Amino acid sequence: MTYGFETLAIHAGQEPEGRTGAVVPPIFQTSTYAQDAVGAPRQGYEYARSGNPTRDALQECLAALEGGRRGLAFASGLAAEDTLLRTVCRPGDHVVIPDDAYGGTFRLVAKVAERWGLSWTAARISDVDAVRAAITDRTKVIWVETPTNPLLNVADIAALAGLAREHGARLVVDNTFASPYLQQPIGLGADVVVHSTTKYVGGHSDVVGGALVVADPGLGDELAYHQNAMGAVNGPFDAWLTLRGVRTLGVRMDRHCDNAERIAAYLHSHPKVKRVYYPGLPEHPGHETAAKQMRRFGGMVSFSAAGGEESAVEICNRARLFVLAESLGGVESLIEHPGRMTHASAAGSPLEVPADLVRLSVGIETADDLLADLEQALG
Ligand SMILES: *Cc1c(COP(=O)(O)O)cnc(C)c1O
């Protein structure tokens, strides 16, 4: 029997608890577990960095939602990324990253992993030939986000999976923007899916977390070894909050998409907007690829202000219902200026973003209220 997405979100890893029948997986707020005899832990649990039932429930659920063989949860998206890079790469290896990667991913690769001996090339991941040209004989990982942050570029996951296989590299897909409800990279040939569960998976802007899901159980074992050895795990309460969010992922994503589609269409015809970046718009260069590999087009919309940088900043400052804040993927709508906020650290690098850009994380409020707020903010 195979279950649908929403059923898995609510039930995978979440059997009623054995002793009490608690319908919701309890928060096992403990650091250690009693053993019946030396070397005989009761249920395989010894110490909570190595294993915790609340975390296990989340991991099992995420693996099911991504169609992977194993899920691993971490303290943050970047903790997951660091554990992944230092599991699958050795000093001297090379990775290809998107030329508009999430700023924290860029910083981790360029400022931290580089000192540890990893080299990297930034490539336009919406262009398979550009990615091919960036590959060297030391390339171990092709890292893509799709859609990307904040320009919503779209990578062809199946094509890049084929390219990675040809070159003995692994394809890693940061699926944070799409969430497993909209896109399942493992089914398209990716080796590893990365999440900042802080965003859509958690969905309520109340917890930071990360996750990895893998197709190959052998790689899953290696990553689990490093999860314990490096220790960047999430706590039981954070795992519980994330799992509470996951149960409604499908219904939330549908409303995020409904609202984002209306807002993208509205901005598209607004005289104070120069350009809208939303993969759901037919003229978006990644529209066809997105339509092929995504269920819908997501809740993130970026646009360029016709009045340039100052106008973009003013729009952000004038918004009321759209809260001016970094991050994304929560039920509430957020607005930000990537050039001066989330992507300020990319200034002067190949990842610099346009100064007139505004990024919206469209929430699940009443769409008319969101449109009215944008109307007054655009002035
Ligand atoms: C936020 C984010 C990350 C990093 O996750 P944290 O939970 O903040 O560490 C990675 N990738 C993308 C696309 C993100 O939006």
Side-chain angles (χ1 to χ4, degrees), residues 75-81 101-105 143 145 147-149 174-177 194-199 207-210 327-328 359:
S76 68
L78 283 171
E81 294 184 19
Y102 172 72
T105 300
W143 187 291
E145 288 171 43
T148 62
N149 177 18
D174 182 335
N175 204 26
T176 299
F177 266 42
V194 175
H195 276 287
S196 169
T197 57
T198 314
K199 316 295 169 52
V207 60
V208 170
S327 198
L328 60 108
R359 188 187 80 179

Side-chain angles (χ1 to χ4, degrees), residues 86-122:
R86 291 200 279 152
T87 301
V88 300
C89 296
R90 302 283 173 272
D93 288 345
H94 175 260
V95 301
V96 179
I97 59 170
D99 68 357
D100 59 347
Y102 172 72
T105 300
F106 173 68
R107 183 175 55 202
L108 176 67
V109 170
K111 309 284 179 196
V112 179
E114 189 183 87
R115 287 206 316 217
W116 173 82
L118 197 70
S119 66
W120 56 278
T121 304

